[in-house]
Amino acid sequence: MAMQLDTCFGSFFLCIFCFAWFLNFPAEAAVRKYQFDIRVKNVSRLCHAKPIVTVNGRFPGPTVYAREGDRVLINVKNYAQYNISIHWHGLKQFRNGWADGPAYITQCPIKTGHSYTYDFNVTGQRGTLWWHAHILWLRATVYGAIVIMPKEGTMFPFPQPHGETKIILGEWWNSDVETLVNRANKLGLPPSTSDAHTINGKPGPLFPCSSKHTFSMEVEAGKTYLLRIINAALNDELFFSIAGHNMTVVEIDAVYTKPFTTRVILIAPGQTTNVLIKADQPPSRYFMAARPFMDAPVPVDNKTVTGILHYRGIPNTVLPSMPKLPAPNNTNVASSYNKRLKSLNTPQFPANVPLKVDRRLFYTIGLGANPCPSCQNGTQLTASLNNITFVMPKVGLLQAHYFNIEGVFKTDFPDRPPVPFNYTGVPLTANLGTSLGTRLSKVAFNSTIELVLQDTNLLTVESHPFHLHGFNFFVVGSGVGNFDPSKDPAKFNLVDPPERNTVGVPTGGWTAIRFRADNPGVWFMHCHLELHTMWGLKMAFVVENGKSPEESILPPPKDLPPC
């Protein structure tokens, strides 16, 4: 089945066939098996050829198809020179952190020549998610889509599309990414920004040597299509638009939304967005395009990636028209778009927002600099939560927790920063040192958590997309400046807030989320900008077991990779 479905990636109309075939796939076929071979392959983009790490020799990798309620087994065999682990981004992995994938958090990586089977159930989720490498910067090329169809007999809560396709936004470096990163770390500086953005691995005709590396989607006039859009970029939030066409947002992070129509979407690394588009314009060729949103003085790859929306019967010689993308620093477009996101909140798809909060957390996000005698400026750029730069362990944290291995981590991560200050005032350029540690926050099973993530002006303010493993959460509030605990909670949306697994904390602002800690295990939370994760902008929650075996962590699988 995997091989049949994965041929969808090449041809859009074959994808329509695959989509219809999958919808009619018998309900009793509840186990889906995939083979992921991690192999190095030479790939050429932008007139440059280089070896990249791939799954099954494909870039992007194969799509994982499942139906809500299925069991999925994915055997990952590592033939590359790097250790590898794969994260199934957004899948809740109830009691089953062993299948979550972040290296040294829930497992040790799969070594060269070894394999591991990720075995998980898809429970209570349907929509678009994605998978990616969760070690080093390998997700630059090791990523792909996850498509979860609703249960048999359950329709989408929006008009059934004629067809669908995936739009996976990524980044491309002409140089070897791991070499760039290692060199930058020795200097204590960030690596160079990417050389291009990509749509389904292709940068589009605005780049050299790229006319053949252009994604094209053929449509029939009058028909409606579902686009499953994924931001797999490492470091860039992106605006995305299609010339002449409206998009109707119907889902984010595999959760249905109240539909709304927009000319542009904003999507942060780690996020997914499903939109409907109707081929209702004069038949022609239209560019779809994406480029970064960055409203802080931080360098990004500001080049524009394009693909083509191609009406059937129109010759390839017709020059596509270009959409009008917002300016890269257009904060108003970004914030107004995010404010329009609301959960569908129907009896069938309710928004179960925790109204009573058991524990309130307040985490500051900061950049910093620690002494580094061998680095270029004598300092190493770093990042922290509550002034703690997370140190990765040598043993998987979930193993250490499950087997009570002492000395691997402490559970004293503070609920608040050590010293309150004017978080978003003038830039702070002194006292930029952070404390280092593998410090986790212990959380009682089934307790309700409110977490306020507060950006700071340590070095510079910046937008940060945060991803929480093992859970969805409700984005109950967001604002600019310092969070005011006496005034801001009165403005929280506790009725139909967006439900996500990854949320942007606005530049110089704050975001408040709520979730119920009903999934026992060790769950990573980190900035999904790869640069900041590498610098230590991460932590983990230890969610304790409940009172019964059904509320406790499952035993580890026999083939769990050794440390």
Side-chain angles (χ1 to χ4, degrees):
M1 175 189 164
M3 293 308 294
Q4 286 175 285
L5 282 168
D6 289 336
T7 55
C8 293
F9 213 82
S11 160
F12 177 67
F13 272 93
L14 184 58
C15 211
I16 296 171
F17 164 77
C18 290
F19 177 55
W21 179 85
F22 187 83
L23 283 177
N24 295 316
F25 201 76
E28 62 270 13
V31 179
R32 318 265 180 209
K33 294 184 179 180
Y34 290 86
Q35 179 64 37
F36 275 25
D37 290 339
I38 309 298
R39 295 187 182 277
V40 173
K41 181 184 180 183
N42 277 324
V43 170
S44 177
R45 295 288 186 277
L46 275 61
C47 320
H48 291 261
K50 68 169 185 176
I52 65 169
V53 182
T54 70
V55 170
N56 300 347
R58 296 169 56 183
F59 169 61
T63 300
V64 172
Y65 290 88
R67 192 181 286 284
E68 182 183 347
D70 283 352
R71 180 183 177 192
V72 180
L73 291 96
I74 304 173
N75 181 256
V76 178
K77 181 72 186 270
N78 187 9
Y79 295 96
Q81 73 270 36
Y82 300 103
N83 291 343
I84 194 78
S85 72
I86 306 286
H87 172 49
W88 318 96
H89 186 114
L91 281 166
K92 293 179 186 175
Q93 307 288 12
F94 185 62
R95 302 169 53 215
N96 187 28
W98 312 110
D100 191 40
Y104 300 107
I105 306 297
T106 58
Q107 67 168 94
C108 285
I110 306 163
K111 297 183 174 72
T112 304
H114 293 255
S115 65
Y116 176 48
T117 299
Y118 291 92
D119 182 351
F120 53 86
N121 294 317
V122 180
T123 306
Q125 292 183 273
R126 80 294 305 162
T128 305
L129 296 169
W130 65 299
W131 58 264
H132 59 84
H134 212 303
I135 185 169
L136 305 173
W137 283 42
L138 294 181
R139 75 176 183 87
T141 56
V142 180
Y143 61 85
I146 300 173
V147 173
I148 307 168
M149 297 307 299
K151 284 182 178 175
E152 193 77 38
T154 304
M155 301 298 288
F156 294 131
F158 48 80
Q160 186 77 15
H162 171 69
E164 63 165 72
T165 195
K166 299 170 292 290
I167 304 288
I168 310 181
L169 306 170
E171 289 184 85
W172 172 266
W173 279 261
N174 288 330
S175 302
D176 179 74
V177 177
E178 295 305 324
T179 303
L180 280 175
V181 170
N182 290 337
R183 189 181 304 142
N185 280 339
K186 285 177 183 169
L187 295 172
L189 300 171
S192 55
T193 58
S194 55
D195 294 291
H197 293 101
T198 57
I199 294 175
N200 296 340
K202 300 172 180 180
L206 304 187
F207 288 91
C209 306
S210 296
S211 56
K212 66 178 179 180
H213 297 306
T214 300
F215 172 72
S216 183
M217 168 186 169
E218 189 178 78
V219 296
E220 286 186 65
K223 299 286 177 68
T224 298
Y225 299 86
L226 179 70
L227 304 189
R228 300 178 181 270
I229 306 168
I230 298 164
N231 187 348
L234 277 79
N235 295 304
D236 293 338
E237 292 186 73
L238 297 166
F239 287 124
F240 175 86
S241 188
I242 302 173
H245 291 74
N246 286 324
M247 296 176 284
T248 302
V249 177
V250 292
E251 179 200 301
I252 53 173
D253 292 3
V255 179
Y256 296 132
T257 62
K258 286 184 171 65
F260 68 91
T261 300
T262 181
R263 281 284 182 169
V264 63
I265 70 163
L266 175 67
I267 185 165
Q271 292 181 336
T272 68
T273 304
N274 282 10
V275 303
L276 294 173
I277 62 154
K278 188 168 186 184
D280 58 1
Q281 296 302 299
S284 186
R285 298 170 84 226
Y286 298 86
F287 272 132
M288 58 181 76
R291 77 170 174 217
F293 162 62
M294 174 53 76
D295 57 353
V298 175
V300 293
D301 170 8
N302 60 7
K303 295 180 281 295
T304 302
V305 56
T306 53
I308 297 172
L309 186 78
H310 186 133
Y311 279 69
R312 181 180 277 186
I314 300 298
N316 288 342
T317 50
V318 173
L319 198 64
S321 53
M322 190 66 140
K324 188 169 173 21
L325 285 164
N329 63 349
N330 195 326
T331 307
N332 288 338
V333 169
S335 59
S336 63
Y337 172 81
N338 283 327
K339 282 174 184 167
R340 297 180 74 188
L341 297 170
K342 302 242 190 319
S343 288
L344 189 58
N345 193 26
T346 61
Q348 190 178 6
F349 302 107
N352 295 316
V353 189
L355 301 180
K356 177 179 142 295
V357 174
D358 295 320
R359 188 160 156 206
R360 287 183 164 83
L361 309 175
F362 182 78
Y363 291 178
T364 54
I365 303 162
L367 301 179
N370 285 328
C372 173
S374 63
C375 292
Q376 183 170 293
N377 301 319
T379 57
Q380 166 81 56
L381 286 173
T382 189
S384 67
L385 283 167
N386 283 354
N387 208 48
I388 297 164
T389 296
F390 191 84
V391 176
M392 293 295 279
K394 302 285 194 290
V395 177
L397 294 175
L398 183 57
Q399 289 98 313
H401 170 58
Y402 187 85
F403 293 110
N404 295 310
I405 303 170
E406 293 188 0
V408 177
F409 65 86
K410 294 179 179 178
T411 55
D412 63 349
F413 191 91
D415 287 3
R416 269 156 217 86
V419 180
F421 60 97
N422 181 7
Y423 307 114
T424 55
V426 295
L428 301 164
T429 55
N431 301 318
L432 293 174
T434 65
S435 66
L436 309 179
T438 311
R439 299 168 66 180
L440 281 57
S441 179
K442 187 176 276 192
V443 175
F445 178 79
N446 213 36
S447 60
T448 52
I449 306 297
E450 180 180 288
L451 168 60
V452 175
L453 291 160
Q454 172 73 62
D455 188 29
T456 68
N457 209 348
L458 291 160
L459 281 185
T460 178
V461 290
E462 188 175 348
S463 176
H464 299 271
F466 264 82
H467 173 47
L468 175 60
H469 292 228
F471 300 92
N472 280 357
F473 49 75
F474 293 96
V475 186
V476 295
S478 191
V480 176
N482 298 340
F483 175 72
D484 185 337
S486 63
K487 293 180 181 175
D488 287 325
K491 297 178 250 179
F492 284 178
N493 177 2
L494 302 178
V495 177
D496 59 356
E499 183 182 345
R500 316 205 65 138
N501 62 60
T502 306
V503 66
V505 179
T507 299
W510 56 271
T511 292
I513 66 172
R514 287 187 182 182
F515 65 98
R516 181 176 294 279
D518 57 1
N519 193 2
V522 178
W523 302 107
F524 207 20
M525 188 182 77
H526 59 96
C527 180
H528 220 278
L529 303 181
E530 207 60 35
L531 178 64
H532 292 171
T533 300
M534 176 179 76
W535 283 350
L537 194 48
K538 50 197 174 188
M539 58 82 66
F541 292 103
V542 180
V543 179
E544 296 178 297
N545 284 337
K547 292 177 181 174
S548 70
E550 293 74 30
E551 296 174 342
S552 302
I553 301 170
L554 292 167
K558 290 186 171 59
D559 65 338
L560 189 71
C563 294

